[in-house]
């Protein structure tokens, strides 16, 4: 969403950040930032050694820039490991391409794309360039790697500022800078190497928090208007200035909104009605323009064009609510499955999304303005349980979004098996999805054609060797926070035959495959719980006898719980299970106990029922 964050994410999304074997290494990663006469200049040099054919995936260089901040002094060359020049890349080989994403209408970001190929290994790609930023409110967010599997042997960051130019520095996994000064300039120098970065593990912290990193911002900046990172209140005041005059809703639409909510008494009912109006009349398209991607297009623009990005749609919804006399606040947030920690003590631009907050009746309602198919006030897994930055001219502050409870993320499955002789079986599945699964299936239901839905459902169903006879995704209404899937399957080889006996193994619980304690290197970070409940019923066409019925199970501890019960008659076997893995962080000291809890659940639910018709 935002300009400088977008530049970082462009690198993270490039082939450089594709998962790969160790087929290349970054020999040098040098960044030199200079602030002089109000301009920020970056001089960068990177040398990558390609060791084999597989390493050629890192042989295409991507250098992001904008239309206003153009690249100069660009040089790319192929060298031997000794540094001897093989050849220079010609200007004709350098491509200028738009960095426009699939969901964008327009972006002013571009990329220098430079494919480099050579067939004698090892060889090195050396590239350097300079870029001067005509305005800036961040100096750098420096992460000296090109891929999580590519070691960096030598990295340096140098920042030079006027002598009394105040900056703020945040660093992680790197030593403090060496600072030096002369009569006019203050210089900061960081050196590091990254021989190996821990691989991401199941529910591990974001890779972002595992990397050597230096973020530097000016304490005061001039970016569209004067602003400051001296405090969250100061930064919020600057952001509030970006919203001034952006609430210019046309008078005709104000009247439309007022007429729309006139029959309603409750502010919450009015807000819900307006939200439906937003969903029915606009669509999300990224429009990455304005002051670094931070300034929203005005409400009048969205009113006329019926589209906008998260900033524009959120600002537009705020203006619609204000037309009905309802106050709301724009909130910056970092959206995603794994929350990125917000640095409370380091006021800066740390976010990638904007949502709306309504403080109604001493309660807080959160509104996602870019999704046309979720309920009003729905808090999904991508924004729950994290800090958000509320923009209020005089009282901007960090606040916390609500955490989802086990009940709010619980997925339920009811399976009825009609078991016939000769391993023939018809299975009826009924799923009720909540939480993250609701988001996935709701998007599938609202955004994709039936053939794509069917392909996804076939892959999702846990059975093998089946014929999908029928399926249906259903949603009760637009305000439903659940979605259901009904599917009827014909199973061709149900269970396993041992003579005249049939062995039945219930489908396993959907539990993540956590690493064994001796393999686990990182703590567990679960921002929301996992909760699943199922009821599995086997209907037999003729009386059967079961060799054993397991005892009921009840496990409860700090990590979660499991409840399981099996009952049987001569023609029916019923198994009911419910398990919860609590959300939260688990350090490596507690991990062995957590892993044992997971193993215990799996062992208790790893059942096989042996049935026979010999009564």
């Amino acid at each position: 969403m935002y300009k400088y964050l977008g530049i970082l994410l462009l690198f993270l999304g490039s082939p450089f950040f594709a998962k790969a074997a160790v087929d290349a290494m970054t020999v040098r990663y040098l960044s030199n930032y200079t602030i002089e006469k109000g301009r920020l200049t970056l001089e960068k040099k990177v040398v990558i050694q390609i060791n084999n054919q597989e390493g050629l995936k890192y042989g295409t260089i991507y250098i992001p820039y904008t239309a206003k901040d153009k690249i100069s002094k660009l040089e790319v060359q192929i060298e031997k490991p000794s540094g001897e020049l093989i050849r220079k890349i010609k200007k004709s080989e350098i491509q200028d391409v738009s960095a426009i994403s699939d969901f964008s209408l327009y972006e002013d970001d571009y990329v220098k794309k430079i494919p480099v190929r050579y067939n004698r290994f090892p060889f090195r790609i050396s590239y350097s360039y300079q870029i001067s930023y005509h305005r800036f409110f961040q100096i750098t967010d420096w992460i000296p790697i090109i891929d999580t599997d590519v070691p960096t042997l030598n990295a340096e960051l140098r920042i030079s500022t006027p002598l009394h130019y105040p900056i703020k520095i945040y660093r992680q996994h790197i030593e403090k800078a060496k600072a030096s000064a002369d009569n006019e300039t203050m210089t900061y120098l960081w050196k590091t190497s990254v021989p190996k970065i821990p691989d991401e593990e199941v529910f591990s912290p974001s890779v972002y928090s595992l990397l050597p990193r230096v973020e530097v911002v000016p304490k005061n900046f001039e970016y569209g208007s004067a602003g400051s990172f001296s405090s969250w209140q100061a930064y919020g005041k600057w952001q509030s200035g970006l919203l001034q005059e952006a609430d210019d809703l046309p008078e005709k639409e104000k009247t439309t909104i007022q007429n729309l909510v006139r029959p309603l008494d409750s502010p919450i009912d009015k807000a819900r009605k307006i939200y439906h109006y937003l969903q029915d009349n606009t669509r999300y398209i990224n429009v990455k323009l304005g002051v670094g991607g931070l300034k929203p297009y005005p409400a009048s623009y969205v009113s006329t064009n019926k589209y906008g990005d998260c900033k524009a749609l959120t600002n537009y919804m705020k203006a619609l609510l204000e037309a009905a006399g309802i106050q709301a606040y724009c909130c910056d947030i970092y959206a995603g499955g794994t929350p990125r920690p917000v640095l409370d003590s380091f006021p800066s631009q740390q976010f990638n999304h904007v949502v709306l907050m309504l403080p109604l009746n001493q309660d807080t309602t959160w509104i996602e303005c870019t999704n046309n198919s979720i309920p009003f006030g729905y808090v999904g897994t991508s924004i729950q349980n994290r800090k958000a930055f509320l923009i209020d001219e005089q009282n901007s502050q960090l606040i916390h979004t609500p955490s989802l409870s086990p009940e709010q993320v619980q997925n339920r499955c009811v399976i009825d098996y009609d078991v016939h002789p000769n391993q023939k079986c018809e299975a009826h599945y009924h799923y009720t999805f909540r939480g993250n699964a609701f988001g996935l299936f709701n998007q599938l239901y609202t955004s994709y054609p039936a053939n794509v839905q069917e392909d996804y459902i076939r892959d999702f169903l846990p059975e093998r060797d089946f014929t999908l006879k029928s399926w249906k995704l259903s949603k009760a209404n637009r305000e439903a926070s659940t979605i259901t899937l009904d599917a009827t399957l014909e199973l061709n080889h149900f269970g396993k035959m041992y003579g005249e006996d049939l062995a039945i193994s219930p489908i396993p619980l959907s539990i993540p495959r956590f690493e064994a304690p001796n393999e686990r290197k990182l703590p567990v970070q679960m921002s929301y719980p996992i909760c699943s409940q199922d009821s599995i019923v086997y209907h037999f066409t003729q009386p059967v006898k079961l060799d054993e019925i397991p005892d009921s199970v009840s496990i409860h501890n700090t990590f979660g719980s499991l409840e399981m019960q099996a009952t049987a008659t001569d023609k029916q076997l019923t198994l009911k299970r419910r398990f919860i893995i609590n959300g939260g962080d688990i350090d490596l000291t507690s991990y062995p106990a957590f892993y044992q809890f997971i193993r215990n659940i799996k062992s208790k639910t790893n059942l096989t029922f042996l049935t026979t018709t010999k009564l």
Side-chain angles (χ1 to χ4, degrees):
M1 173 185 129
Y2 297 117
K3 176 179 176 182
Y4 293 101
L5 179 64
I7 288 174
L8 172 62
L9 293 181
L10 178 62
F11 274 123
L12 295 179
S14 78
F16 281 172
F17 253 77
K19 279 287 181 186
V22 180
D23 303 311
M25 57 186 180
T26 303
V27 180
R28 284 189 292 277
Y29 192 104
L30 313 178
S31 304
N32 185 7
Y33 291 87
T34 303
I35 298 174
E36 189 175 18
K37 297 180 180 179
R39 295 180 70 87
L40 173 66
T41 300
L42 165 63
E43 296 175 281
K44 188 165 185 176
K45 181 179 179 63
V46 179
V47 180
I48 305 165
Q49 180 163 306
I50 308 297
N51 291 324
N52 52 40
Q53 188 74 27
E54 289 296 316
L56 286 176
K57 64 173 68 71
Y58 307 105
T60 299
I61 310 301
Y62 292 86
I63 304 174
Y65 68 100
T66 72
K68 293 181 179 179
D69 304 319
K70 294 188 176 181
I71 291 173
S72 62
K73 300 181 180 179
L74 174 59
E75 293 184 358
V76 184
Q77 57 191 40
I78 303 173
E79 302 172 346
K80 294 181 179 180
S82 64
E84 180 183 346
L85 175 66
I86 296 174
R87 78 176 184 91
K88 292 186 176 181
I89 300 300
K90 300 176 183 178
K91 287 186 178 180
S92 60
E93 298 177 76
I94 300 175
Q95 306 169 24
D96 276 290
V97 297
S98 173
I100 191 166
S101 50
D102 292 340
F103 51 85
S104 294
L105 175 69
Y106 182 79
E107 295 179 357
D108 59 0
D109 286 349
Y110 297 88
V111 172
K112 295 283 187 183
K113 180 181 178 182
I114 312 158
V116 180
R117 293 293 179 268
Y118 191 66
N119 58 7
R120 294 184 181 179
F121 304 102
F123 70 91
R124 292 181 177 181
I125 302 170
S126 173
Y127 68 93
S128 60
Y129 62 91
Q130 178 177 297
I131 185 167
S132 184
Y133 301 99
H134 73 293
R135 58 186 180 183
F136 63 95
F137 72 107
Q138 180 188 57
I139 297 171
T140 187
D141 193 352
W142 188 72
I143 301 176
I145 64 170
I146 63 169
D147 183 88
T148 53
D149 285 328
V150 177
T152 298
L153 306 185
N154 177 21
E156 290 187 9
L157 169 64
R158 187 185 303 271
I159 296 177
S160 299
T161 72
L163 189 58
H164 299 295
Y165 186 89
I167 62 174
K168 300 178 62 178
I169 299 170
Y170 170 79
R171 58 187 174 88
Q172 69 178 23
H173 307 307
I174 193 168
E175 294 295 327
K176 189 176 180 180
K178 292 183 179 179
S180 59
D182 58 25
N183 292 334
E184 297 181 352
T185 305
M186 188 74 184
T187 300
Y188 306 84
L189 176 64
W190 291 265
K191 292 184 178 183
T192 191
S193 62
V194 191
K196 181 174 174 57
I197 300 168
D199 294 329
E200 286 191 278
E201 298 170 325
V202 177
F203 285 104
S204 66
S206 167
V207 68
Y208 192 82
S209 66
L210 307 176
L211 306 174
R213 175 188 169 204
V214 178
E215 182 176 0
V216 185
V217 298
K219 184 176 180 181
N220 304 301
F221 57 87
E222 185 73 32
Y223 198 70
S225 60
S228 173
F229 286 127
S230 60
S231 66
W232 287 108
Q233 291 78 13
Y235 178 47
K237 185 174 182 179
W238 176 78
Q239 279 217 44
S240 294
L242 299 181
L243 298 175
Q244 287 182 1
E245 301 180 358
D247 58 350
D248 59 342
L249 200 64
E251 290 299 326
K252 182 179 179 181
E253 191 160 26
K254 288 182 181 180
T255 301
T256 298
I257 292 300
Q258 291 162 0
N259 291 336
L260 186 69
V261 301
R262 184 169 288 115
L264 304 173
D265 296 323
S266 166
I268 195 74
D269 289 338
K270 292 180 180 181
R272 181 181 292 106
K273 190 74 172 180
I274 295 170
Y275 184 62
H276 293 165
Y277 175 87
L278 170 82
Q279 290 181 310
D280 293 341
N281 290 281
T282 64
R283 59 195 175 101
Y284 173 77
I285 294 180
N286 194 22
V287 185
K288 193 175 178 184
L289 295 170
V291 180
L294 287 166
K295 185 176 178 64
Y297 263 60
S300 57
Y301 179 92
V302 179
S303 177
T304 300
N305 294 284
K306 307 303 180 186
Y307 61 72
D309 64 1
C310 64
K311 303 180 300 296
L313 291 175
T314 302
N315 176 71
Y316 174 66
M317 179 64 184
K318 180 174 181 290
L320 294 176
L321 290 168
E322 288 175 350
I326 300 173
Q327 180 68 54
Y329 298 92
C330 295
C331 294
D332 294 347
I333 197 167
Y334 196 93
T338 302
R340 179 179 294 183
V342 174
L343 308 171
D344 300 43
S345 61
F346 191 77
S348 59
Q349 201 315 92
Q350 302 178 41
F351 312 97
N352 68 349
H353 190 47
V354 182
V355 293
L356 203 63
M357 189 273 279
L358 281 71
L360 294 175
N361 299 326
Q362 296 183 339
D363 194 11
T364 300
T365 299
W366 294 87
I367 300 181
E368 168 59 72
C369 300
T370 63
N371 192 316
N372 290 12
S373 62
I374 62 172
F376 169 76
Y378 179 74
V379 176
T381 54
S382 66
I383 66 168
Q384 65 90 50
N385 189 24
R386 67 199 66 200
K387 290 176 182 176
F389 181 42
L390 182 145
I391 309 301
D392 184 8
E393 183 177 6
Q394 300 299 330
N395 193 33
S396 298
Q397 58 186 296
L398 292 172
I399 59 176
H400 208 277
T401 62
S403 301
L404 294 177
S405 67
E407 290 72 23
Q408 289 173 311
V409 299
Q410 175 181 276
N411 294 312
R412 189 167 188 269
C413 181
V414 177
I415 311 172
D416 282 277
Y417 291 102
D418 294 327
V419 184
H420 303 283
N422 302 320
Q423 291 185 272
K424 296 297 182 183
C425 180
E426 187 171 86
H428 306 273
Y429 276 79
H430 177 77
Y431 286 98
T432 302
F433 298 114
R434 294 179 175 84
N436 190 56
F438 166 76
L440 293 173
F441 277 92
N442 187 55
Q443 184 179 16
L444 183 70
Y445 175 68
T446 58
S447 304
Y448 291 91
N451 63 317
V452 176
Q453 294 180 26
E454 181 169 327
D455 288 343
Y456 188 91
I457 288 167
R458 285 182 184 276
D459 291 338
F460 171 78
L461 291 167
E463 305 288 355
R464 295 295 177 263
D465 190 18
F466 67 88
T467 300
L468 182 58
K469 297 180 66 175
S470 65
W471 62 271
K472 183 181 181 181
L473 281 172
S474 304
K475 190 177 176 183
N477 52 61
R478 70 188 304 164
E479 287 297 285
S481 58
T482 62
I483 190 167
T484 61
L485 168 62
D486 289 279
T488 300
L489 289 66
E490 187 176 287
L491 308 181
N492 300 316
H493 296 89
F494 180 69
K496 291 184 179 180
M497 294 298 301
Y498 295 92
E500 296 184 17
D501 298 338
L502 176 65
I504 300 172
S505 297
I507 61 172
L509 293 173
S510 181
I511 299 176
R513 293 187 177 184
F514 288 94
E515 297 82 2
N518 64 333
E519 298 174 350
R520 185 82 184 193
K521 301 296 189 297
L522 300 172
V524 173
Q525 180 181 322
M526 297 181 63
S527 66
Y528 56 88
I530 296 174
C531 182
S532 179
Q533 178 177 336
D534 56 37
S535 175
I536 305 173
V537 184
Y538 300 91
H539 305 274
F540 301 99
T541 57
Q542 54 185 319
V544 298
K545 180 181 179 182
L546 277 77
D547 66 335
E548 185 178 1
I549 300 296
D551 295 333
S552 297
V553 176
S554 180
I555 300 173
H556 292 264
N557 60 33
T558 57
F559 302 118
S561 62
L562 170 68
E563 298 284 345
M564 185 176 71
Q565 182 181 30
T567 58
T569 66
D570 62 349
K571 281 194 172 184
Q572 182 171 300
L573 168 64
T574 301
L575 178 67
K576 295 184 177 181
R577 307 177 297 193
R578 185 174 191 262
F579 85 92
I580 298 173
I581 302 177
N582 294 328
D585 297 340
I586 301 170
D587 60 27
L588 290 177
T589 302
S590 303
Y591 184 77
F594 171 76
Y595 183 76
Q596 185 57 46
F597 163 71
I598 297 296
R599 287 195 63 185
N600 197 17
I601 288 181
K602 289 184 176 182
S603 66
K604 294 292 186 183
T605 58
N606 184 20
L607 303 174
T608 297
F609 298 98
L610 190 64
T611 71
T612 180
T613 56
K614 293 181 179 180
L615 303 179

